[in-house]
Amino acid sequence: MSTPISFPPTRSLVLSLIISLLAGHVYGKDVVIHAGTLIDGISETPRHQVSVVIHDDRIIAIEEGFTTPAGAEVIDLSTQTVLPGFIDCHVHIASKLPSRVNATEDWVTHSDLDRAFDGALFMRAMLQQGFTSARDVGGGNDSVAVRNAIASGKIAGPRLWVSLEPLGPTAGHGDPRNGLDPELSHSSWKNGIVDTPEDARIRVREHRRRGADLIKLMPSAGIASTGDDPRQQLMTDEEMRVAVETAHALGMKVAAHIYPAPAIEAAVRAGVDSVEHGSFATPETFALMKSHGTYLVPTLTVFEIYYVAARDHPELLTPGTAPKELANDLLPKKNFPAALKSGVKIAYGTDIGEGDHAMEFGLMISAGMKPIEAILAATRNASDLLGASDRVGSIQPGRYADLVATSADPLSEPTQLEHVNFVMKNGIVYRDHGQPTVGGGQ
Ligand SMILES: [Zn+2]
């Protein structure tokens, strides 16, 4: 792995530094981006010929026309479309593509330390895809370590919010012992187990102590897990209520992985902030979510990838899960138009680690979403779900300088979103002219 540093100093950078020192800026760098088109993550209407003024890691002004404050370095994106850095609200930083590795073998032959190195690699690639923020909803100590290493500038990657192990019952979707020899054990495998409301309260507080930013619940069973039925609710209403109450009291949001409609409705009433997947939701479920302001994170990407894996490489998946994948993975895409019609708030999420995080744009758009709505799902809505709209998700003064650019208009050519050619995070350029900079790695 290369050591991330800011982009290589150029003569103009050195010159602008000297000029800014002469201008009285004792420390700090001023950069101005000349954006041919700006999609700011607030409005549905793009603006043209706009200057984005950046000081250090923050956006400080947006000006009409191409202006150059004295001493500022110009980044010329005058023929490009500039957007806020994308946000993926559902990742697992160390998760490998299911067609590439045997899931069970990978699970029992890797430690959290191994997973941290995988996570570092996958997050570096994700930043290159234009994702400057992400929410990890189910990892271990590896996710905290990678989040901290990125935040302190040791490695390149999106800024991360992490949940640690999902909370759910014994034998539920989050129980790491499912399908294994019952005699096998590992000290971390009980970290997410909740079988009573009191367990829920304690686990939330323990997660907080260990560094969690949010809490993930597994109220219903899963698809990619052995021995459970995705149409069942497994956590009790009271366990969910206590988990949400404890998390919210600590200022943490709650994401809930749920498939069946009655379980979604119970979780929404318990106060969760987002429903992940929502495969078997009905129009009534979406209406209830809308009335509570609950987000839907559809994660069409993971279903697409696992459907193909179950069809082509069932032997690699967790034992017994390929039939569940084949029976259920196409439903969310089928349900997506009903979600759109309901007006429920939608935030962008893929449910992958390794792989193409921009795939979700194309999947949501082909299932009926307008390109601008897909962009806002990955910017404005995603930052709102993170509770971080004051820092990320839009291009306006006060926000981190997290920006991407495409060479053609993504509203008329949405595949552009899968090929960003410029990525800036925290005011540092990680990708330029379609290539990683020295700090961007790869
Ligand atoms: Zn997930």
Side-chain angles (χ1 to χ4, degrees), residues 206-331:
E206 283 175 350
H207 274 40
R208 180 64 172 186
R209 184 186 63 208
R210 291 173 51 224
D213 302 296
L214 72 143
I215 292 297
K216 165 88 172 289
L217 302 182
M218 296 291 198
S220 84
I223 295 173
S225 44
T226 300
D228 54 347
D229 176 349
R231 293 191 178 265
Q232 291 174 346
Q233 176 177 334
L234 300 182
M235 284 181 89
T236 67
D237 292 3
E238 184 62 2
E239 287 162 359
M240 287 193 278
R241 195 191 62 72
V242 171
V244 170
E245 173 191 274
T246 312
H248 283 175
L250 291 166
M252 295 195 284
K253 301 259 188 178
V254 180
H257 151 119
I258 331 175
Y259 300 116
I264 296 173
E265 290 162 18
V268 168
R269 291 196 179 93
V272 301
D273 299 284
S274 65
V275 168
E276 314 292 307
H277 320 305
S279 302
F280 311 136
T282 64
E284 292 72 36
T285 321
F286 291 134
L288 182 77
M289 289 173 65
K290 190 184 176 198
S291 72
H292 279 74
T294 317
Y295 269 98
L296 174 69
V297 184
T299 69
L300 303 181
T301 302
V302 77
F303 293 116
E304 191 81 7
I305 288 174
Y306 272 78
Y307 184 83
V308 171
R311 190 192 60 199
D312 298 345
H313 289 286
E315 75 286 358
L316 295 179
L317 301 187
T318 309
T321 60
K324 286 204 283 183
E325 302 282 359
L326 294 172
N328 296 304
D329 284 355
L330 299 181
L331 266 175

Side-chain angles (χ1 to χ4, degrees), residues 63-378:
E63 294 172 357
E64 294 303 319
F66 294 148
T67 62
T68 307
E73 181 207 353
V74 177
I75 295 179
D76 181 6
L77 301 175
S78 59
T79 60
Q80 310 210 19
T81 298
V82 175
L83 309 100
F86 306 141
I87 303 168
D88 189 336
C89 291
H90 193 131
V91 308
H92 299 278
I93 61 161
S95 180
K96 294 170 190 161
L97 285 172
S99 299
R100 195 170 70 77
V101 293
N102 180 293
T104 307
E105 182 188 324
D106 189 71
W107 176 240
V108 296
T109 57
H110 288 74
S111 71
D112 271 3
L113 289 172
D114 296 321
R115 276 184 258 279
F117 282 98
D118 285 331
L121 202 61
F122 301 156
M123 291 304 94
R124 190 171 64 177
M126 190 180 174
L127 181 61
Q128 288 296 319
Q129 295 161 2
F131 289 81
T132 51
S133 295
R135 200 175 66 149
D136 181 288
V137 282
N141 293 329
D142 55 319
S143 62
V144 172
V146 171
R147 176 198 65 193
N148 294 349
I150 291 170
S152 62
K154 292 174 192 162
I155 58 174
R159 58 185 89 249
L160 293 176
W161 280 252
V162 309
S163 75
L164 283 169
E165 298 86 358
L167 305 189
T170 299
H173 183 54
D175 187 342
R177 300 173 73 175
N178 284 338
L180 301 183
D181 175 346
E183 296 302 315
L184 284 176
S185 68
H186 187 289
S187 60
S188 74
W189 289 356
K190 61 180 189 329
N191 285 349
I193 301 299
V194 162
D195 287 314
T196 68
E198 225 24 55
D199 284 350
R201 196 185 308 278
I202 293 165
R203 294 298 184 212
V204 169
R205 290 175 175 166
E206 283 175 350
H207 274 40
R208 180 64 172 186
R209 184 186 63 208
R210 291 173 51 224
D213 302 296
L214 72 143
I215 292 297
K216 165 88 172 289
L217 302 182
M218 296 291 198
S220 84
I223 295 173
S225 44
T226 300
D228 54 347
D229 176 349
R231 293 191 178 265
Q232 291 174 346
Q233 176 177 334
L234 300 182
M235 284 181 89
T236 67
D237 292 3
E238 184 62 2
E239 287 162 359
M240 287 193 278
R241 195 191 62 72
V242 171
V244 170
E245 173 191 274
T246 312
H248 283 175
L250 291 166
M252 295 195 284
K253 301 259 188 178
V254 180
H257 151 119
I258 331 175
Y259 300 116
I264 296 173
E265 290 162 18
V268 168
R269 291 196 179 93
V272 301
D273 299 284
S274 65
V275 168
E276 314 292 307
H277 320 305
S279 302
F280 311 136
T282 64
E284 292 72 36
T285 321
F286 291 134
L288 182 77
M289 289 173 65
K290 190 184 176 198
S291 72
H292 279 74
T294 317
Y295 269 98
L296 174 69
V297 184
T299 69
L300 303 181
T301 302
V302 77
F303 293 116
E304 191 81 7
I305 288 174
Y306 272 78
Y307 184 83
V308 171
R311 190 192 60 199
D312 298 345
H313 289 286
E315 75 286 358
L316 295 179
L317 301 187
T318 309
T321 60
K324 286 204 283 183
E325 302 282 359
L326 294 172
N328 296 304
D329 284 355
L330 299 181
L331 266 175
K333 204 154 62 175
K334 219 171 115 208
N335 270 346
F336 194 69
L340 285 178
K341 198 166 161 220
S342 75
V344 66
K345 293 190 287 186
I346 294 176
Y348 191 102
T350 60
D351 202 359
I352 61 171
E354 180 182 23
D356 181 5
H357 290 259
M359 241 178 98
E360 189 80 9
F361 284 116
L363 290 167
M364 292 199 297
I365 292 165
S366 67
M369 203 177 216
K370 288 186 203 140
I372 187 65
E373 291 170 341
I375 291 167
L376 291 172

